[in-house]
Amino acid sequence: MSRIEQEKKTVATMIGLYCHSKHHGKPLCKDCQMLHEYALSRLEHCPFGNQKTFCQACHVHCYKPEMRTKIKEVMRFSGPRLLLYHPVMALKHLHEMRKVKKAGASL
Ligand SMILES: [Zn+2]
């Protein structure tokens, strides 16, 4: 699976966990559906494509402010839960995040 595909899956899972707990979305409420579509379109148009190291570092810089606030909240909420329900996916994500932090990116 490509990095982009992996990121898409991760972001979909995170938004799903968030919406399900916060908004009782089945699977997603309207707002979260929009956020999800936005996130996917950012991934599709990412200039780094599969070359880039890690999307979250990139997300927060290429999202427009309101979407950026939302996705940050989703990540904060779903990050720990992802570890619980999807440990393999979460560990991959954390691993990528550490690489970026080491490289000096600010999240
Ligand atoms: Zn929602």
Side-chain angles (χ1 to χ4, degrees):
M1 198 191 300
S2 74
R3 253 183 220 288
I4 295 287
E5 291 306 311
Q6 183 65 42
E7 281 291 337
K8 279 184 185 171
K9 230 175 122 179
T10 306
V11 86
T13 306
M14 280 185 156
I15 295 172
L17 285 171
Y18 176 82
C19 188
H20 190 70
S21 305
K22 294 271 189 178
H23 313 140
H24 307 287
K26 285 176 189 171
L28 293 179
C29 71
K30 221 176 156 199
D31 272 10
C32 293
Q33 183 62 44
M34 270 174 58
L35 179 65
H36 183 217
E37 277 164 21
Y38 184 77
L40 294 188
S41 78
R42 298 316 311 178
L43 282 168
E44 292 291 344
H45 297 115
C46 178
F48 299 102
N50 286 318
Q51 300 297 312
K52 71 183 167 185
T53 52
F54 178 54
C55 220
Q56 194 173 341
C58 182
H59 287 162
V60 297
H61 294 121
C62 77
Y63 279 33
K64 61 184 177 184
E66 48 172 310
M67 290 302 189
R68 181 173 162 164
T69 307
K70 278 187 191 166
I71 201 75
K72 276 190 160 177
E73 203 186 319
V74 168
M75 300 264 169
R76 203 173 321 136
F77 178 85
S78 295
R81 283 161 184 82
L82 194 67
L83 197 59
L84 208 62
Y85 299 120
H86 305 278
V88 176
M89 191 190 280
L91 287 175
K92 270 187 198 161
H93 197 69
L94 285 174
H95 180 68
E96 294 291 327
M97 200 183 311
R98 277 201 203 99
K99 277 200 285 195
V100 171
K101 279 192 174 157
K102 264 188 203 155
S106 59
L107 294 177

